Amino acid sequence: MNHAWRPLILIVGLAAVLLTVRMFLVPSDFMAKNGDYKYQWHRVGNEKFWRDEFTVKHKGREFCKQCHEDKIELVADSGHARVQCENCHVMFNPEKKGHPVDLKADFGYLLDIGIDRSRELCKRCHSKLPYRPKEFTSLTKGIKPFNMIDPQEHNPGEECVDCHDVHRTGFK
Amino acid sequence: MDLTRRKLLKMGMLSVCGTMIPLGALEIFKPEALASSLVHPYSQKKRWAFVVDTTKCVGCGMCVKTCKLENEIPFDAEVQRTWIERYVLTKKGDVLIDSPHGDRYGFTKNDPEGHDLKDEDTLKGFFVPKLCNHCEKPSCVQVCPVGATYKTDDGVVLVDRKWCIGCGYCITNCPYFARFFHPVFNTAEKCTFCYHRISKGLKSACVDACAFGVRKIGMLNDPDSEVFKIITTQRTAVLKPEFGNEPHVFYLGLDHIVR
């Protein structure tokens, strides 16, 4: 055997080992979908993860309606008709959470529900900024002026909910 | 053979003229090609698209909060799939751009970039919600060395968390800065248009959370979708068209100071 053949055999052998290992490591559904190596070269099974296996957490008004139909009707008739229950009642600071029914165990609801009475929550929409839109256009009833207050001047230190009924969008 | 000089020139000119007609010009003789422009003025391909109406945004950040909780991005981490930028033009001519904590706590004060700005000093200002543009030609997908990120048949760009090696090429290659590392999985992470929701007939979490009707999601070619109606009837713009990515988040009321 001459000196040129030996490395060649080595190279062919290595390539064979590499291809065999690759056959076991790369899943069968890893491919270029529609022949598109540029944008669709992927594990096709992963689409199922994002489509079906990832859980829906915000369930919307219909979920809350199972028990709180009265509140839903009240809000639907108010200026807050377009505001989801979950916008205000889903808590990111766990110290404020609390719901009389264990939603996670009984309903499979995964978020923390609670009541946030702080001014900070209302200020997100209602504190006065010169460049905030002056009109509120998403209500079916028509265009209304958007209520904004200067938090420095408008009863500082008080909680908004002491005077305002947020579900009815009126005074208590 | 009675081939005269006159005949030769005549036939020669005719064949030269014949070869000059482009093949495309013959399209008009195909009845199906003619009919297609009359019956289907738009393509039937399913393609998700997003519309952001910046004129309505108040910067409350409910979309950012909802997105983080829906998509399991740790709330206190300084990364987000969607965020809102505030652009303020002062009377001095300065452009102030900020997005504190991605606006997950909302804009409550007139303090762009930490300046305590008086109301009378602001010339104009507005909020621009941003998210992944789900480009038709996503430059982030092209650079992935392992095939961990891809575009689905309906145009949504996703990341395979199991396959991602965390090299970060896609993060640096996105012209919209829409990608980041997930703090828990340490893989590339991005907006999915809430693929788990839109595939079930729900709206994306941020669209649901917006009380002002700023955000809209729908099929680009579905004549019943609000997205189709807006794009076909109103003046929309996309961010950074010069990159050639063909982004599919369309903006209403976009100003030239937005980048």
Side-chain angles (χ1 to χ4, degrees):
Chain A
M1 204 180 273
N2 84 31
H3 66 282
W5 281 108
R6 263 171 283 164
L8 194 72
I9 289 164
L10 189 74
I11 289 165
V12 170
L14 277 175
V17 169
L18 206 76
L19 287 173
T20 323
V21 170
R22 189 186 175 278
M23 218 167 70
F24 287 106
L25 284 182
V26 178
S28 58
D29 63 343
F30 192 92
M31 58 165 135
K33 212 176 172 188
N34 307 320
D36 185 355
Y37 276 96
K38 208 169 178 184
Y39 301 121
Q40 295 197 302
W41 185 57
H42 69 292
R43 210 161 52 97
V44 178
N46 185 248
E47 285 176 30
K48 193 173 172 295
F49 170 78
W50 288 112
R51 200 189 317 112
D52 305 323
E53 288 163 31
F54 204 77
T55 48
V56 172
K57 287 159 211 85
H58 288 83
K59 298 195 175 178
R61 283 182 202 92
E62 292 306 306
F63 177 80
C64 309
K65 207 174 177 176
Q66 295 174 69
C67 299
H68 302 285
E69 204 172 342
D70 53 326
K71 283 271 167 32
I72 303 280
E73 279 169 18
L74 211 60
V75 173
D77 200 35
S78 75
H80 280 163
R82 288 287 303 267
V83 183
Q84 290 277 357
C85 315
E86 287 157 326
N87 276 7
C88 302
H89 287 291
V90 167
M91 295 296 122
F92 52 82
N93 35 359
E95 69 269 19
K96 282 178 183 159
K97 72 175 182 185
H99 190 269
V101 176
D102 188 352
L103 289 173
K104 193 166 184 177
D106 298 351
F107 291 90
Y109 188 83
L110 298 167
L111 302 169
D112 294 324
I113 294 290
I115 299 172
D116 184 356
R117 291 192 173 84
S118 70
R119 279 170 78 92
E120 288 306 309
L121 179 66
C122 305
K123 272 162 69 182
R124 291 175 77 130
C125 295
H126 291 287
S127 77
K128 196 174 180 68
L129 295 177
Y131 31 79
R132 269 197 170 144
K134 305 281 179 293
E135 284 170 336
F136 185 45
T137 54
S138 359
L139 285 177
T140 46
K141 288 175 197 164
I143 297 168
K144 285 192 166 186
F146 186 49
N147 289 328
M148 289 183 284
I149 53 105
D150 185 347
Q152 305 286 334
E153 290 169 12
H154 186 89
N155 305 318
E158 304 280 327
E159 277 177 356
C160 309
V161 290
D162 288 347
C163 304
H164 298 279
D165 184 339
V166 290
H167 293 127
R168 217 161 45 79
T169 57
F171 289 103
K172 275 188 170 165
Chain B
M1 216 172 121
D2 53 343
L3 186 64
T4 59
R5 180 197 293 235
R6 174 183 285 270
K7 238 183 191 171
L8 178 79
L9 284 174
K10 227 178 177 177
M11 275 158 66
M13 287 305 278
L14 250 172
S15 41
V16 165
C17 289
T19 49
M20 276 167 73
I21 298 175
L23 273 178
L26 299 172
E27 281 283 295
I28 52 164
F29 296 116
K30 274 200 224 155
E32 63 269 29
L34 264 180
S36 72
S37 64
L38 299 171
V39 182
H40 304 298
Y42 38 81
S43 136
Q44 292 292 294
K45 200 183 159 219
K46 279 189 183 269
R47 214 299 178 193
W48 289 106
F50 207 90
V51 165
V52 178
D53 186 350
T54 57
T55 57
K56 289 180 183 167
C57 184
V58 305
C60 66
M62 284 299 180
C63 48
V64 183
K65 173 204 160 196
T66 307
C67 171
K68 285 204 111 172
L69 295 166
E70 175 76 22
N71 292 302
E72 298 170 15
I73 313 295
F75 199 82
D76 296 322
E78 294 300 329
V79 286
Q80 44 275 321
R81 288 179 171 200
T82 183
W83 67 100
I84 302 180
E85 288 172 4
R86 166 168 62 184
Y87 290 77
V88 177
L89 190 64
T90 65
K91 284 194 177 154
K92 278 189 206 153
D94 299 329
V95 179
L96 304 173
I97 308 167
D98 71 341
S99 180
H101 308 294
D103 190 33
R104 61 176 178 270
Y105 303 116
F107 287 107
T108 54
K109 267 168 80 183
N110 190 11
D111 58 348
E113 289 183 16
H115 298 80
D116 207 7
L117 214 60
K118 288 196 186 77
D119 285 7
E120 55 268 26
D121 290 339
T122 49
L123 197 58
K124 68 172 175 180
F126 45 86
F127 301 100
V128 181
K130 292 207 174 162
L131 66 159
C132 168
N133 283 266
H134 293 272
C135 307
E136 192 60 32
K137 295 174 181 166
S139 52
C140 53
V141 173
Q142 279 183 48
V143 296
C144 181
V146 293
T149 180
Y150 56 94
K151 198 178 76 175
T152 63
D153 290 335
D154 42 10
V156 176
V157 178
L158 299 173
V159 178
D160 186 341
R161 281 179 182 165
K162 214 176 141 189
W163 222 241
C164 176
I165 56 170
C167 68
Y169 285 175
C170 55
I171 295 170
T172 52
N173 253 281
C174 173
Y176 304 101
F177 306 103
R179 284 175 175 247
F180 54 91
F181 277 119
H182 193 291
V184 177
F185 303 110
N186 293 322
T187 54
E189 182 72 20
K190 67 183 289 300
C191 160
T192 60
F193 270 173
C194 282
Y195 203 52
H196 58 297
R197 293 173 68 94
I198 56 177
S199 309
K200 294 183 181 84
L202 298 163
K203 284 178 183 163
S204 307
C206 59
V207 177
D208 250 355
C210 184
F212 300 88
V214 173
R215 293 165 177 255
K216 286 149 187 111
I217 184 146
M219 284 285 179
L220 186 61
N221 306 314
D222 173 10
D224 298 324
S225 82
E226 210 179 341
V227 165
F228 175 88
K229 283 173 194 162
I230 290 173
I231 292 171
T232 48
T233 58
Q234 297 191 48
R235 300 163 197 193
T236 55
V238 292
L239 293 169
K240 302 179 186 173
E242 65 274 17
F243 281 85
N245 281 21
E246 295 175 27
H248 273 65
V249 174
F250 298 89
Y251 284 84
L252 283 167
L254 206 59
D255 192 89
H256 73 283
I257 64 172
V258 177
R259 21 195 122 123

